[in-house]
Every structure is written in structure tokens, then in C-alpha cells.
């Protein structure tokens, strides 16, 4: 039986303030938790699961991992999903210091991206295209928001994700090619990309802030064939990364 205090504690991790205070976030679902076990077992603080899941996965669980058996109705109390999915894990938030950032290949830089679904898609796209580093402005949505976690799937813990003041960060990269994704730039089909480099992606409705765009060395765009006003940040990032890594 799970204690009421523990239920409240896990529920509190849906809020950024408490995630930051505790250094933990929640991962739900059979596939995502299994990827954690396979790739980042030391990051797992505790697993809550129904008995059937524990019996099925007992042989793959790392020695000494803290696992608590729950009934279905207990799992539903701590789950943020409409249909709880057998298992939930409390996981340590990676906190790589920005001082440890080393430019490699393409680094995606996000300026005020607010939609959790967009950030999740961007993280998955970065993982797909082998992007190792994502730099986020301090006001970009939290990568460990439950909606981002579900959208990013198992990709969340593979790229390094940094939060920092973008202008200060960009000012320390004076010799780095910086490509700004905008509506009035050079076609990505014609642009030549040098690496290592930075790719700037802006806010869903406002685009890049003037202060951040000022650091761009080249403006690039996805050529529009139809009448749509724009692409969302997640789709645009995937299309641009495909062109940059082709």
C-alpha cells in the first residue's frame, strides 16, 4: 500500500518548482521505463509497478533498485496519464553544467520555445539525427514537464540539455557559424552548412527575439510551396536538421 504522503510527493513532481527542488522527474510507461533500465539505470531512484510488470521484468532489474508493488488503483493515483501504464519511475534530472559544453556537430539552440509537444518533438528529432547538445533559453518550457517527457519518449535522456541565458552563451561563441531559422532566409536546399555550428529555433508565434537573432551569421528558411502561414517549431527543426545532416 502506498502512503498518502508519497502519493502527494509524486503528484507534486508535476510542478516545475518541486522538480527543481527535488532534482527528480516522473517517467511512465513500459517502453520508456525499460529504456531507462537499459541505458540509465543509475538515474532511477524508485520504481512503482503492478505485480505483473515486476514478474515479467524481474530478471532485467538492476541489483538493489528500489521497486514497490502497487495495485492498479494505486498506480492511477500517482499517474498523470488518463490510462496508467503498469509502471512509473522516479528519475534524477540530469544537470550538466553549461561550463562543460563542448561544441560538436550541430547544436540546437532554443529561444523561448513554450509548447511541451514542440520541445518533445525537437528532442526526439535531435536524437534521430544524432544531435548531442540542446541549449535552451531560461524561459523555454522545462524538458522534464510531464507532457514533454511523454512527447520525447525514450529520447529525453540521450541529448545533453542545458538551460542558460542565451545572449551570454552566444557571446562566448564568436567564431561559431550560427544559423537562424526564419521566414526570410536562404533556402535550406541551397545553403552550405559548416560544422561545428549552432542552429537557432525561435518561439512558436514570435520567432527569434531580436537580441538572439543578432548573433546569427546566416538566416535560413524552409521554402514554402503552399499557403500555410508557418510550421510549428518541432516540425521545422526536424526538416532543417534533415537538410543539415544530409
Amino acid at each position: 500500500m502506498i502512503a498518502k504522503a508519497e502519493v502527494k510527493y509524486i503528484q507534486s513532481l508535476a510542478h516545475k518548482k518541486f522538480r527543481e527542488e527535488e532534482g527528480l522527474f516522473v517517467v511512465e510507461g513500459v517502453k520508456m521505463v525499460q529504456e531507462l533500465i537499459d541505458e540509465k539505470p543509475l538515474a532511477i531512484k524508485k520504481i512503482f509497478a503492478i505485480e505483473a510488470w515486476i514478474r515479467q521484468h524481474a530478471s532485467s532489474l538492476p541489483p538493489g533498485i528500489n521497486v514497490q508493488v502497487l495495485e492498479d488503483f494505486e498506480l492511477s493515483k500517482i499517474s498523470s496519464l488518463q490510462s496508467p501504464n503498469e509502471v512509473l519511475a522516479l528519475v534524477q534530472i540530469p544537470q550538466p553544467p553549461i561550463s562543460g559544453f563542448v561544441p560538436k556537430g550541430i547544436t540546437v539552440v532554443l529561444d523561448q520555445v513554450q509548447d511541451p509537444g514542440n520541445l518533445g518533438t525537437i528532442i526526439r528529432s535531435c536524437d534521430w539525427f544524432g544531435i548531442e547538445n540542446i541549449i535552451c533559453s531560461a524561459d523555454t518550457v522545462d524538458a522534464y514537464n510531464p507532457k514533454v517527457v511523454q512527447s520525447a519518449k525514450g529520447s529525453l535522456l540521450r541529448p545533453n540539455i542545458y538551460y542558460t541565458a542565451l545572449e551570454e552563451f552566444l557571446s562566448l561563441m564568436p567564431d561559431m557559424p550560427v544559423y537562424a531559422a526564419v521566414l526570410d532566409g536562404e533556402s535550406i536546399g541551397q545553403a552550405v552548412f559548416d560544422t561545428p555550428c549552432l542552429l537557432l529555433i525561435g518561439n512558436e508565434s514570435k520567432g527569434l527575439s531580436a537580441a538572439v537573432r543578432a548573433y546569427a551569421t546566416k538566416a535560413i528558411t524552409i521554402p514554402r510551396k503552399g499557403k500555410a502561414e508557418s510550421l510549428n517549431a518541432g516540425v521545422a527543426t526536424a526538416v532543417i536538421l534533415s537538410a543539415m545532416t544530409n
Side-chain angles (χ1 to χ4, degrees), residues 179-188 191 193 199 218-222 240 244:
Y179 301 99
V182 294
L183 293 176
D184 57 348
E186 180 181 354
S187 166
I188 57 172
F193 299 103
L199 171 62
K218 179 179 284 189
I220 57 173
T221 194
I222 301 169
I240 294 170
M244 294 181 77

PDB file of all heavy atoms in Angstrom, residues 179-188 191 193 199 218-222 240 244:
ATOM      1  N   TYR A 179      23.258  29.581 -37.477  1.00  0.00           N
ATOM      2  CA  TYR A 179      22.195  29.603 -38.480  1.00  0.00           C
ATOM      3  C   TYR A 179      20.858  29.873 -37.787  1.00  0.00           C
ATOM      4  O   TYR A 179      20.472  29.148 -36.866  1.00  0.00           O
ATOM      5  CB  TYR A 179      22.141  28.273 -39.228  1.00  0.00           C
ATOM      6  CG  TYR A 179      23.447  27.959 -39.927  1.00  0.00           C
ATOM      7  CD1 TYR A 179      24.373  27.086 -39.350  1.00  0.00           C
ATOM      8  CD2 TYR A 179      23.768  28.557 -41.137  1.00  0.00           C
ATOM      9  CE1 TYR A 179      25.588  26.812 -39.984  1.00  0.00           C
ATOM     10  CE2 TYR A 179      24.976  28.299 -41.767  1.00  0.00           C
ATOM     11  CZ  TYR A 179      25.880  27.421 -41.187  1.00  0.00           C
ATOM     12  OH  TYR A 179      27.088  27.167 -41.804  1.00  0.00           O
ATOM     13  N   ALA A 180      20.170  30.915 -38.254  1.00  0.00           N
ATOM     14  CA  ALA A 180      18.887  31.299 -37.663  1.00  0.00           C
ATOM     15  C   ALA A 180      17.743  30.820 -38.547  1.00  0.00           C
ATOM     16  O   ALA A 180      17.683  31.162 -39.740  1.00  0.00           O
ATOM     17  CB  ALA A 180      18.820  32.814 -37.497  1.00  0.00           C
ATOM     18  N   ALA A 181      16.832  30.017 -37.997  1.00  0.00           N
ATOM     19  CA  ALA A 181      15.656  29.556 -38.738  1.00  0.00           C
ATOM     20  C   ALA A 181      14.607  30.665 -38.721  1.00  0.00           C
ATOM     21  O   ALA A 181      14.030  30.964 -37.673  1.00  0.00           O
ATOM     22  CB  ALA A 181      15.115  28.280 -38.106  1.00  0.00           C
ATOM     23  N   VAL A 182      14.375  31.273 -39.880  1.00  0.00           N
ATOM     24  CA  VAL A 182      13.444  32.402 -40.001  1.00  0.00           C
ATOM     25  C   VAL A 182      12.642  32.239 -41.288  1.00  0.00           C
ATOM     26  O   VAL A 182      12.857  31.309 -42.071  1.00  0.00           O
ATOM     27  CB  VAL A 182      14.207  33.753 -40.017  1.00  0.00           C
ATOM     28  CG1 VAL A 182      14.883  34.001 -38.662  1.00  0.00           C
ATOM     29  CG2 VAL A 182      15.249  33.781 -41.132  1.00  0.00           C
ATOM     30  N   LEU A 183      11.705  33.153 -41.520  1.00  0.00           N
ATOM     31  CA  LEU A 183      10.875  33.067 -42.719  1.00  0.00           C
ATOM     32  C   LEU A 183      11.511  33.737 -43.936  1.00  0.00           C
ATOM     33  O   LEU A 183      11.087  33.509 -45.072  1.00  0.00           O
ATOM     34  CB  LEU A 183       9.500  33.698 -42.448  1.00  0.00           C
ATOM     35  CG  LEU A 183       8.607  32.967 -41.439  1.00  0.00           C
ATOM     36  CD1 LEU A 183       7.329  33.751 -41.185  1.00  0.00           C
ATOM     37  CD2 LEU A 183       8.276  31.564 -41.938  1.00  0.00           C
ATOM     38  N   ASP A 184      12.511  34.574 -43.705  1.00  0.00           N
ATOM     39  CA  ASP A 184      13.060  35.365 -44.809  1.00  0.00           C
ATOM     40  C   ASP A 184      14.528  35.050 -45.092  1.00  0.00           C
ATOM     41  O   ASP A 184      15.285  35.902 -45.532  1.00  0.00           O
ATOM     42  CB  ASP A 184      12.920  36.860 -44.512  1.00  0.00           C
ATOM     43  CG  ASP A 184      13.601  37.261 -43.200  1.00  0.00           C
ATOM     44  OD1 ASP A 184      13.975  36.360 -42.419  1.00  0.00           O
ATOM     45  OD2 ASP A 184      13.752  38.468 -42.956  1.00  0.00           O
ATOM     46  N   GLY A 185      14.939  33.799 -44.858  1.00  0.00           N
ATOM     47  CA  GLY A 185      16.337  33.443 -45.051  1.00  0.00           C
ATOM     48  C   GLY A 185      16.601  32.715 -46.356  1.00  0.00           C
ATOM     49  O   GLY A 185      15.725  32.575 -47.216  1.00  0.00           O
ATOM     50  N   GLU A 186      17.825  32.236 -46.517  1.00  0.00           N
ATOM     51  CA  GLU A 186      18.216  31.449 -47.685  1.00  0.00           C
ATOM     52  C   GLU A 186      17.608  30.054 -47.586  1.00  0.00           C
ATOM     53  O   GLU A 186      17.516  29.468 -46.502  1.00  0.00           O
ATOM     54  CB  GLU A 186      19.742  31.349 -47.733  1.00  0.00           C
ATOM     55  CG  GLU A 186      20.271  30.547 -48.912  1.00  0.00           C
ATOM     56  CD  GLU A 186      21.791  30.431 -48.918  1.00  0.00           C
ATOM     57  OE1 GLU A 186      22.436  31.069 -48.054  1.00  0.00           O
ATOM     58  OE2 GLU A 186      22.321  29.691 -49.766  1.00  0.00           O
ATOM     59  N   SER A 187      17.207  29.499 -48.705  1.00  0.00           N
ATOM     60  CA  SER A 187      16.603  28.167 -48.729  1.00  0.00           C
ATOM     61  C   SER A 187      17.569  27.130 -48.154  1.00  0.00           C
ATOM     62  O   SER A 187      18.765  27.127 -48.492  1.00  0.00           O
ATOM     63  CB  SER A 187      16.238  27.783 -50.157  1.00  0.00           C
ATOM     64  OG  SER A 187      15.945  26.392 -50.245  1.00  0.00           O
ATOM     65  N   ILE A 188      17.053  26.245 -47.318  1.00  0.00           N
ATOM     66  CA  ILE A 188      17.898  25.199 -46.748  1.00  0.00           C
ATOM     67  C   ILE A 188      18.400  24.245 -47.822  1.00  0.00           C
ATOM     68  O   ILE A 188      19.383  23.547 -47.624  1.00  0.00           O
ATOM     69  CB  ILE A 188      17.172  24.397 -45.642  1.00  0.00           C
ATOM     70  CG1 ILE A 188      15.876  23.778 -46.178  1.00  0.00           C
ATOM     71  CG2 ILE A 188      16.912  25.267 -44.427  1.00  0.00           C
ATOM     72  CD1 ILE A 188      15.209  22.823 -45.214  1.00  0.00           C
ATOM     73  N   ALA A 191      21.602  26.325 -49.055  1.00  0.00           N
ATOM     74  CA  ALA A 191      22.595  26.771 -48.068  1.00  0.00           C
ATOM     75  C   ALA A 191      23.696  25.735 -47.883  1.00  0.00           C
ATOM     76  O   ALA A 191      23.473  24.526 -48.022  1.00  0.00           O
ATOM     77  CB  ALA A 191      21.911  27.046 -46.728  1.00  0.00           C
ATOM     78  N   PHE A 193      26.312  24.352 -45.071  1.00  0.00           N
ATOM     79  CA  PHE A 193      26.407  24.363 -43.619  1.00  0.00           C
ATOM     80  C   PHE A 193      27.803  23.915 -43.172  1.00  0.00           C
ATOM     81  O   PHE A 193      28.282  22.857 -43.582  1.00  0.00           O
ATOM     82  CB  PHE A 193      25.356  23.456 -42.999  1.00  0.00           C
ATOM     83  CG  PHE A 193      23.947  23.862 -43.333  1.00  0.00           C
ATOM     84  CD1 PHE A 193      23.212  23.173 -44.297  1.00  0.00           C
ATOM     85  CD2 PHE A 193      23.360  24.940 -42.704  1.00  0.00           C
ATOM     86  CE1 PHE A 193      21.919  23.549 -44.612  1.00  0.00           C
ATOM     87  CE2 PHE A 193      22.067  25.330 -43.006  1.00  0.00           C
ATOM     88  CZ  PHE A 193      21.346  24.634 -43.963  1.00  0.00           C
ATOM     89  N   LEU A 199      22.285  26.051 -34.424  1.00  0.00           N
ATOM     90  CA  LEU A 199      21.023  26.267 -35.130  1.00  0.00           C
ATOM     91  C   LEU A 199      20.033  26.916 -34.180  1.00  0.00           C
ATOM     92  O   LEU A 199      19.665  26.312 -33.171  1.00  0.00           O
ATOM     93  CB  LEU A 199      20.455  24.942 -35.646  1.00  0.00           C
ATOM     94  CG  LEU A 199      19.030  24.997 -36.206  1.00  0.00           C
ATOM     95  CD1 LEU A 199      18.949  25.920 -37.428  1.00  0.00           C
ATOM     96  CD2 LEU A 199      18.543  23.579 -36.550  1.00  0.00           C
ATOM     97  N   LYS A 218      24.041  33.537 -40.506  1.00  0.00           N
ATOM     98  CA  LYS A 218      23.279  33.299 -41.727  1.00  0.00           C
ATOM     99  C   LYS A 218      21.829  32.983 -41.370  1.00  0.00           C
ATOM    100  O   LYS A 218      21.571  32.229 -40.424  1.00  0.00           O
ATOM    101  CB  LYS A 218      23.859  32.141 -42.537  1.00  0.00           C
ATOM    102  CG  LYS A 218      23.077  31.833 -43.834  1.00  0.00           C
ATOM    103  CD  LYS A 218      23.692  30.706 -44.627  1.00  0.00           C
ATOM    104  CE  LYS A 218      24.934  31.187 -45.356  1.00  0.00           C
ATOM    105  NZ  LYS A 218      25.430  30.144 -46.307  1.00  0.00           N
ATOM    106  N   ALA A 219      20.887  33.557 -42.111  1.00  0.00           N
ATOM    107  CA  ALA A 219      19.463  33.262 -41.941  1.00  0.00           C
ATOM    108  C   ALA A 219      19.064  32.195 -42.955  1.00  0.00           C
ATOM    109  O   ALA A 219      19.417  32.277 -44.135  1.00  0.00           O
ATOM    110  CB  ALA A 219      18.629  34.527 -42.150  1.00  0.00           C
ATOM    111  N   ILE A 220      18.351  31.186 -42.503  1.00  0.00           N
ATOM    112  CA  ILE A 220      17.911  30.106 -43.387  1.00  0.00           C
ATOM    113  C   ILE A 220      16.414  29.899 -43.243  1.00  0.00           C
ATOM    114  O   ILE A 220      15.812  30.262 -42.221  1.00  0.00           O
ATOM    115  CB  ILE A 220      18.652  28.782 -43.074  1.00  0.00           C
ATOM    116  CG1 ILE A 220      18.442  28.376 -41.610  1.00  0.00           C
ATOM    117  CG2 ILE A 220      20.131  28.903 -43.407  1.00  0.00           C
ATOM    118  CD1 ILE A 220      18.988  26.998 -41.266  1.00  0.00           C
ATOM    119  N   THR A 221      15.793  29.303 -44.267  1.00  0.00           N
ATOM    120  CA  THR A 221      14.355  29.084 -44.216  1.00  0.00           C
ATOM    121  C   THR A 221      13.989  27.807 -44.951  1.00  0.00           C
ATOM    122  O   THR A 221      14.748  27.323 -45.816  1.00  0.00           O
ATOM    123  CB  THR A 221      13.593  30.274 -44.823  1.00  0.00           C
ATOM    124  OG1 THR A 221      12.204  30.191 -44.469  1.00  0.00           O
ATOM    125  CG2 THR A 221      13.705  30.294 -46.352  1.00  0.00           C
ATOM    126  N   ILE A 222      12.830  27.266 -44.640  1.00  0.00           N
ATOM    127  CA  ILE A 222      12.249  26.131 -45.359  1.00  0.00           C
ATOM    128  C   ILE A 222      11.344  26.719 -46.446  1.00  0.00           C
ATOM    129  O   ILE A 222      10.382  27.426 -46.120  1.00  0.00           O
ATOM    130  CB  ILE A 222      11.420  25.241 -44.416  1.00  0.00           C
ATOM    131  CG1 ILE A 222      12.304  24.711 -43.273  1.00  0.00           C
ATOM    132  CG2 ILE A 222      10.787  24.088 -45.180  1.00  0.00           C
ATOM    133  CD1 ILE A 222      11.512  24.057 -42.158  1.00  0.00           C
ATOM    134  N   ILE A 240      14.768  21.033 -40.957  1.00  0.00           N
ATOM    135  CA  ILE A 240      16.060  21.705 -41.102  1.00  0.00           C
ATOM    136  C   ILE A 240      17.207  20.750 -40.765  1.00  0.00           C
ATOM    137  O   ILE A 240      18.223  20.697 -41.466  1.00  0.00           O
ATOM    138  CB  ILE A 240      16.117  22.964 -40.226  1.00  0.00           C
ATOM    139  CG1 ILE A 240      15.109  23.996 -40.734  1.00  0.00           C
ATOM    140  CG2 ILE A 240      17.524  23.555 -40.227  1.00  0.00           C
ATOM    141  CD1 ILE A 240      14.904  25.178 -39.799  1.00  0.00           C
ATOM    142  N   MET A 244      20.439  19.720 -42.957  1.00  0.00           N
ATOM    143  CA  MET A 244      21.788  19.997 -42.456  1.00  0.00           C
ATOM    144  C   MET A 244      22.648  18.740 -42.355  1.00  0.00           C
ATOM    145  O   MET A 244      23.879  18.805 -42.431  1.00  0.00           O
ATOM    146  CB  MET A 244      21.721  20.691 -41.096  1.00  0.00           C
ATOM    147  CG  MET A 244      21.110  22.074 -41.139  1.00  0.00           C
ATOM    148  SD  MET A 244      21.076  22.883 -39.501  1.00  0.00           S
ATOM    149  CE  MET A 244      22.801  23.388 -39.344  1.00  0.00           C
TER     150      MET A 244
END
